[in-house]
Amino acid sequence: MTRRPADRPQIIDGVPPAATGAGRIRSARLDDLPILAGMENAQFTDLAYPFFILRQLFELHGSQWVVAEERGEILGYAVVGVDGQGCAWVLSMAVSERARRNGVGTRLLEHVFERCRDGQIPRVRLTVRQENTAAVRLYEKTGFRQVEHDLNYFGADEPRDVLEFRLEPAPRRWDSAAPGDPQWVKRPRGRQL
């Protein structure tokens, strides 16, 4: 049986998974929800998504969610939803306290980018409080740029920055069987397309 790259334990910079804090990134499963809800509550307290909302979001977008796992323990997750306009939204993301500053958040986002690129989704957005400097640094480091600041994004006096990451289009695959392709048309020297 061939395993997909996402299912293989990954070695980061020559360091085995146990030393990095994230053995692998995988798709979220329904039975992960209680753990994710607990992490959500610990991380976001009064702004955490209630379990029933996570369950409904999972029904709608669960195939896009990813978790970082080491030896069966979930270290982090990204709840992702894709709108109908070519944009993925990271609706929630958290990394357990013991796994922070070990690249887990970066790896989760890179996996989200990879899935979006494969699905031809050109943009990824998320919201963040300016005061959450660790998250802002992570997002900027991975290529997000602020596209909007909304003073009441989550209600009165609940401002958020909206950040966006634009994916480079996947390289065009060359179809060698297309004889009408300009690459196959013979031209006199010096003439360009």
Side-chain angles (χ1 to χ4, degrees):
M1 175 172 104
T2 304
R3 291 167 36 159
R4 298 177 320 183
D7 296 332
R8 293 185 198 124
Q10 299 177 5
I11 295 179
I12 302 171
D13 298 327
V15 180
T20 64
R24 68 180 182 149
I25 307 292
R26 65 166 173 81
S27 295
R29 299 183 300 249
L30 184 60
D31 63 343
D32 294 330
L33 281 183
I35 296 165
L36 301 186
M39 292 178 74
E40 179 84 6
N41 286 325
Q43 179 72 32
F44 301 109
T45 60
D46 60 327
L47 292 177
Y49 287 122
F51 185 90
F52 78 93
I53 295 293
L54 287 173
R55 174 60 193 252
Q56 291 175 333
L57 286 170
F58 187 84
E59 294 296 333
L60 293 169
H61 304 289
S63 64
Q64 304 296 324
W65 296 18
V66 293
V67 298
E69 178 183 66
E70 179 182 69
R71 296 185 181 121
E73 178 186 355
I74 294 176
L75 302 177
Y77 65 88
V79 171
V80 180
V82 178
D83 70 16
Q85 299 166 4
C87 186
W89 282 85
V90 178
L91 302 170
S92 184
M93 182 173 152
V95 174
S96 70
E97 193 150 343
R98 86 164 186 85
R100 290 185 190 149
R101 305 205 49 84
N102 285 308
V104 175
T106 300
R107 290 192 51 224
L108 284 165
L109 287 171
E110 287 171 348
H111 203 82
V112 168
F113 299 158
E114 182 181 315
R115 285 184 172 201
C116 288
R117 195 173 282 112
D118 289 348
Q120 299 181 348
I121 300 162
R123 298 176 299 139
V124 180
R125 285 189 166 192
L126 53 79
T127 64
V128 65
R129 287 187 332 254
Q130 287 180 326
E131 304 83 45
N132 190 348
T133 57
V136 170
R137 275 194 310 271
L138 168 65
Y139 302 144
E140 288 175 348
K141 180 181 89 172
T142 55
F144 280 92
R145 299 293 172 251
Q146 182 177 339
V147 293
E148 182 182 339
H149 178 77
D150 189 326
L151 294 172
N152 299 303
Y153 193 90
F154 281 127
D157 297 322
E158 282 293 335
R160 293 295 184 276
D161 288 338
V162 178
L163 307 181
E164 182 175 271
F165 179 87
R166 289 201 170 261
L167 290 120
E168 295 294 323
R172 183 173 163 232
R173 293 203 166 103
W174 182 46
D175 182 4
S176 61
D181 190 297
Q183 302 216 32
W184 292 107
V185 178
K186 186 169 181 163
R187 289 178 195 72
R189 285 188 191 260
R191 288 195 54 206
Q192 301 292 323
L193 289 178

